[in-house]
Amino acid sequence: MTSRRVAALGALAALPMAVLTVFFVLPVTGMVARGFSDGPGAVLEVLTRPRTGRVVWFTIWSASAATAIAVALGVPAAYALYRLRWPGRGLVRAALLVPFVLPTVVVGVAFRELLGEAGPLGFLHLTGTAGGIIAGLAFFNVAVVIRTVGAAWESLDPRSGEAAAALGAAPATVFRTVTLPALRPAIVGAATVVFLFCATGFGVVLMLGGLRYASVETEIYLLTTNLLDLQAAAALSVVQFAVVLALLVLSARLRVPVRSGRVVARPRRPRRGDIPVLAVTAILLALVAAPILTLVDGSLQVDGRWSLGNYRALSGVGDALATSLRTAVDATWMALLLGGLVSVVVTRRSRSTTERRLRGLLDGFFMLPLGVSAVTLGFGFLITLGSLRDSPLLVPIAQALVALPLVVRTLVPVLAGIDDRLRQAAASLGAGPLRQALVVDLPAVWKPLLAAAGFAFTVSLGEFGATSFLARDEHPTLPVVIYRLIGHPGAMNYGMALAASVLLAVLTTCVMLAVERLRVPSIGAF
């Protein structure tokens, strides 16, 4: 019986293992080999360059500052959106999710329009400054804090706080002594993930940094595409891989699981003491809306007049939109297939020591892509699989690997929560593995599966990091076209970039709002 279960486990894991071996292990190994091709001394030479030091320092402090801003704004908003009940709460919660699902290149374009000389905040002179970059990174990632801390706050047992209040503790004391210690793992975990996303915010820094500022990700891109210094790019990629992996291990340790079956406080009506958190939420909503509305406004302006001319001119980029949609569809089914198999493999209960050890090894192997950013993955593809660059499947495969962790994070909590005794009962009634999956697993997993599909499609549609290395010149995706339009002078090119950014933002937002309506708890457990 044990040998049959191990054989079945190996069969389920065969396809994901083969794909990850060829399209992850091989590129990462090739990247490491390129970085150390002249020995460790060459890597040290790259890391001790003055510019490398400035790039690394800017990446660290800008990501730290953006993380602090995101946490400072996100925690009060999480309380207002998850513990208070007021009209329009659901709409505001969905609106504050929009920044995270926007492609990074769209966020960059929106902030260029907002902070530019002719923009509403042009008087601040933040274009091409560290302040503009930090604002863009915080805008992009505040939703992570809201969703992560909000979900933890929503699941807190209210009885401890109620007992402290009954003993005479003031609301501030209850928060400091009861609520904050319970939320600390969620806050620290969210901050860790936000720091990771800020440090790897490729599109935002590339669009807003200009020639003066660069992060590790944009430096890898510039070393590869402009300076053709592949060894230096590989050395930076190896260092980034190690740092990202360490941060992900830390966030995994701090992640707060979604709890069920506990006493949960129902949202209550706001009181006078809740005015400050509601004010912070209102300010945050205005800050989130400003770049988006400015982007839409700019896309509708031609020569200072209202016009749809920028959108009419997009007829020339219809092929790029079709390529993006086709690539996103391919990446989505690939991510769902691989993510579904991985989720089944890592959540089935082990019944022997051999099976438990094998499942543990597979679990660790399948989580390896979490440690690689999209830019690093695209660079690894470029230097090891360059001969396949003309293949129409290379970009979808890269995007599927980028979306794979999100699919797994969505499906695993649901599959792990299914009582294995239900499958055993179905088996005792004569149901085979396929029948068990249909009658036990499918009813519980179909909503999360749709949510994972929407998430994967959205991520693939706006993916820019890996695609910027791999997209063929004759078949670019829409984010790549937006970046090229921004880089070409002329008011018409810039207007088309704004219109294309709005189009891409509308597509991704519509998909994610549909996902939000499915109300899958594991969505947002970033």
Side-chain angles (χ1 to χ4, degrees):
M1 184 66 178
T2 300
S3 60
R4 289 178 59 186
R5 288 182 58 86
V6 171
L9 181 64
L12 285 173
L15 179 61
M17 286 184 63
V19 171
L20 289 182
T21 298
V22 175
F23 295 105
F24 176 79
V25 175
L26 182 61
V28 170
T29 303
M31 180 187 67
V32 173
R34 177 64 67 93
F36 286 90
S37 59
D38 291 338
V43 176
L44 290 177
E45 187 275 327
V46 172
L47 297 181
T48 53
R49 293 176 184 174
R51 177 171 172 81
T52 301
R54 291 194 298 270
V55 167
V56 172
W57 172 239
F58 175 75
T59 302
I60 293 173
W61 82 260
S62 63
S64 300
T67 300
I69 293 172
V71 171
L73 294 174
V75 171
Y79 177 81
L81 293 169
Y82 285 83
R83 293 305 293 259
L84 301 179
R85 185 177 72 253
W86 40 276
R89 182 181 67 139
L91 182 61
V92 173
R93 186 190 294 187
L96 292 179
L97 175 66
V98 169
F100 182 74
V101 303
L102 289 179
T104 57
V105 67
V106 172
V107 174
V109 172
F111 269 83
R112 280 174 66 114
E113 185 69 5
L114 177 68
L115 303 176
E117 292 183 3
L121 299 183
F123 64 92
L124 296 176
H125 305 294
L126 291 176
T127 304
T129 67
I133 294 171
I134 291 169
L137 293 173
F139 164 89
F140 184 63
N141 291 295
V142 69
V144 178
V145 179
I146 294 174
R147 293 298 297 267
T148 304
V149 177
W153 216 326
E154 192 175 42
S155 67
L156 288 183
D157 191 332
R159 291 175 293 188
S160 299
E162 292 169 355
L167 293 173
T173 304
V174 173
F175 176 79
R176 188 180 66 255
T177 60
V178 178
T179 306
L180 186 58
L183 289 178
R184 188 175 290 118
I187 295 173
V188 175
T192 304
V193 174
V194 169
F195 180 87
L196 172 64
F197 285 161
C198 291
T200 57
F202 174 65
V204 175
V205 180
L206 189 65
M207 298 297 294
L208 299 177
L211 299 175
R212 185 177 178 185
Y213 296 101
S215 65
V216 172
E217 293 243 312
T218 59
E219 187 71 3
I220 293 170
Y221 178 77
L222 294 174
L223 286 170
T224 304
T225 58
N226 290 7
L227 302 179
L228 302 179
D229 191 349
L230 298 184
Q231 184 171 2
L236 279 178
S237 297
V238 170
V239 173
Q240 187 192 47
F241 173 71
V243 173
V244 170
L245 190 61
L247 286 172
L248 283 166
V249 170
L250 177 62
S251 70
R253 285 178 170 272
L254 296 171
R255 194 185 323 138
V256 179
V258 178
R259 296 177 175 90
S260 59
R262 299 182 58 184
V263 176
V264 177
R266 297 181 62 183
R268 58 171 176 79
R269 292 185 178 277
R271 300 168 185 160
R272 181 175 299 179
D274 297 321
I275 292 178
V277 296
L278 292 173
V280 170
T281 304
I283 293 171
L284 180 58
L285 183 63
L287 294 175
V288 166
I292 298 174
L293 294 177
T294 305
L295 177 65
V296 174
D297 175 73
S299 71
L300 294 172
Q301 298 280 342
V302 177
D303 296 329
R305 295 176 297 178
W306 295 100
S307 172
L308 294 176
N310 292 326
Y311 289 92
R312 295 192 190 100
L314 286 181
S315 59
V317 299
D319 290 342
L321 177 58
T323 299
S324 292
L325 292 172
R326 183 170 59 251
T327 302
V329 169
D330 288 338
T332 298
W333 71 256
M334 292 177 187
L336 286 179
L337 176 60
L338 296 176
L341 291 173
V342 169
S343 301
V344 170
V345 168
V346 302
T347 55
R348 285 295 186 267
R349 181 173 298 178
S350 301
R351 297 182 183 176
S352 67
T353 303
T354 302
E355 188 179 355
R356 189 179 303 110
R357 289 175 179 173
L358 178 59
R359 202 179 298 277
L361 290 174
L362 292 174
D363 189 10
F365 179 74
F366 291 145
M367 291 300 104
L368 284 177
L370 282 171
V372 177
S373 70
V375 168
T376 304
L377 183 65
F379 178 65
F381 270 50
L382 183 66
I383 64 176
T384 58
L385 303 173
S387 59
L388 299 177
R389 192 173 180 183
D390 290 335
S391 171
L393 292 179
L394 194 60
V395 173
I397 290 172
Q399 293 184 356
L401 290 178
V402 172
L404 179 63
L406 296 174
V407 174
V408 174
R409 287 277 184 91
T410 302
L411 297 181
V412 162
V414 180
L415 288 172
I418 298 175
D419 193 337
D420 197 52
R421 290 173 296 184
L422 296 175
R423 301 188 186 98
Q424 295 173 7
S428 68
L429 295 173
L434 180 59
R435 182 67 176 173
Q436 293 175 36
L438 290 176
V439 300
V440 177
D441 296 328
L442 186 59
V445 84
W446 72 269
K447 276 190 177 182
L449 198 61
L450 287 177
F455 224 147
F457 182 83
T458 302
V459 169
S460 301
L461 193 62
E463 206 286 315
F464 181 57
T467 309
S468 62
F469 286 90
L470 304 174
R472 293 175 290 173
D473 291 337
E474 64 275 18
H475 294 297
T477 61
L478 196 55
V480 173
V481 167
I482 292 171
Y483 178 66
R484 291 177 182 174
L485 288 171
I486 289 290
H488 286 78
M492 180 55 71
N493 286 330
Y494 187 72
M496 289 173 60
L498 297 181
S501 298
V502 171
L503 177 61
L504 191 56
V506 169
L507 287 173
T508 55
T509 301
C510 288
V511 174
M512 283 311 300
L513 289 179
V515 169
E516 179 73 4
R517 290 186 64 85
L518 293 172
R519 301 191 180 279
V520 178
S522 52
I523 285 287
F526 307 107

